[in-house]
């Protein structure tokens, strides 16, 4: 990867051998490996390590989970907040696992729409949940730094499964909970 980064530096008119850039190929390679470490993570493993039987069938919400990802179209960052909820069907998952699941998919080359569904589906499947809701709110540097250059714009995506899709009151409760700022 380092040699390709050297070639990119040359292609944009830089000298990869000048003092300030000599270690840049190594640093960029390490950075990209870190930012895409989600490919090495198994979402099923993240969840199955912390499944517990519990007689609880009310909504569980974890909101404002920070995430950072790379747009697969431009390799520029997009970042924001994830809000994840599920209604258990006698199985709960360790709460930190929801945040870890967000990271599994955020740390891959992504589009926000796919990432939203990718987070929701394993929760629904592994927990046999009565419903799952995921909302992502993100800022995309590919829209701010290039292209349309629109500052202060956010993209909001949602994936609603089970009771969150079929029951308006359940969906509304979730949306009200994630809007609260207390």
């Amino acid at each position: 990867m380092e040699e390709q980064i050297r070639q990119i530096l040359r292609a944009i008119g830089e000298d990869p051998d000048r003092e300030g850039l000599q270690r840049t190929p190594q640093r960029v390679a390490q950075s990209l490996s870190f930012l895409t470490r989600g490919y090495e993570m198994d979402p099923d493993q993240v969840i199955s390590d912390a499944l517990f039987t519990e007689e609880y069938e009310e909504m569980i919400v974890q909101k404002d989970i920070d995430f950072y990802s790379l747009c697969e179209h431009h390799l520029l960052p997009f970042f924001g907040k994830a809000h994840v909820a599920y209604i258990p069907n006698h199985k709960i998952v360790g709460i930190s696992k929801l945040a870890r699941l967000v990271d599994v998919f955020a740390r891959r080359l992504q589009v926000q729409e796919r990432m939203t569904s990718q987070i929701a589906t394993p929760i629904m499947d592994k927990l046999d949940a009565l419903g799952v809701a995921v909302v992502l709110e993100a800022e995309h540097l590919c829209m701010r730094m290039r292209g349309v250059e629109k500052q202060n714009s956010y993209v909001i995506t949602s994936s609603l499964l089970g009771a969150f899709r079929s029951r308006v009151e359940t969906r509304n409760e979730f949306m009200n909970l994630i809007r609260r700022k207390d």
Side-chain angles (χ1 to χ4, degrees):
M1 189 183 319
E2 290 179 34
E3 184 51 40
Q4 285 85 17
I5 295 164
R6 286 182 172 294
Q7 290 175 15
I8 290 169
L9 290 171
R10 282 188 197 99
I12 64 172
E14 270 293 352
D15 174 8
D17 294 319
R18 76 172 170 84
E19 184 180 8
L21 293 176
Q22 287 174 354
R23 294 187 52 224
T24 296
Q26 176 188 9
R27 287 189 293 260
V28 171
Q30 290 171 341
S31 176
L32 281 173
S33 293
F34 177 80
L35 294 172
T36 59
R37 70 186 185 275
Y39 291 114
E40 299 167 6
M41 302 167 152
D42 179 357
D44 290 336
Q45 195 63 41
V46 167
I47 292 176
S48 26
D49 281 351
L51 279 177
F52 307 100
T53 302
E54 193 65 46
E55 295 302 314
Y56 188 79
E57 292 182 359
E58 299 297 324
M59 189 182 307
I60 298 170
V61 180
Q62 188 174 19
K63 69 179 199 171
D64 295 331
I65 304 165
D66 289 322
F67 73 86
Y68 304 89
S69 193
L70 290 174
C71 162
E72 70 180 34
H73 300 133
H74 306 101
L75 296 185
L76 288 173
F78 70 95
F79 53 91
K81 303 279 186 193
H83 314 289
V84 180
Y86 70 100
I87 302 171
N89 186 14
H90 306 295
K91 281 192 190 221
I92 61 170
V93 66
I95 202 73
S96 71
K97 302 306 180 184
L98 298 176
R100 288 187 196 282
L101 194 60
V102 169
D103 280 345
V104 166
F105 294 110
R107 294 306 187 158
R108 299 175 182 196
L109 299 182
Q110 277 292 8
V111 294
Q112 183 175 332
E113 299 85 347
R114 179 187 327 117
M115 183 176 142
T116 308
S117 296
Q118 286 177 326
I119 294 165
T121 301
I123 299 168
M124 188 73 169
D125 293 346
K126 284 298 224 176
L127 274 68
D128 189 29
L130 299 174
V132 174
V134 175
V135 170
L136 300 183
E137 303 175 49
E139 303 175 48
H140 291 250
L141 292 188
C142 58
M143 281 192 55
R144 290 185 176 206
M145 295 176 66
R146 56 158 310 280
V148 296
E149 296 185 76
K150 296 301 176 203
Q151 306 308 307
N152 304 311
S153 64
Y154 291 83
V155 176
I156 300 172
T157 53
S158 67
S159 179
L160 305 170
L161 306 175
F164 289 97
R165 180 179 290 267
S166 62
R167 298 182 61 210
V168 173
E169 62 276 4
T170 303
R171 181 171 48 253
N172 287 342
E173 179 184 351
F174 168 67
M175 294 300 184
N176 286 331
L177 287 169
I178 65 172
R179 280 188 205 117
R180 289 179 43 189
K181 297 295 178 197
D182 48 359

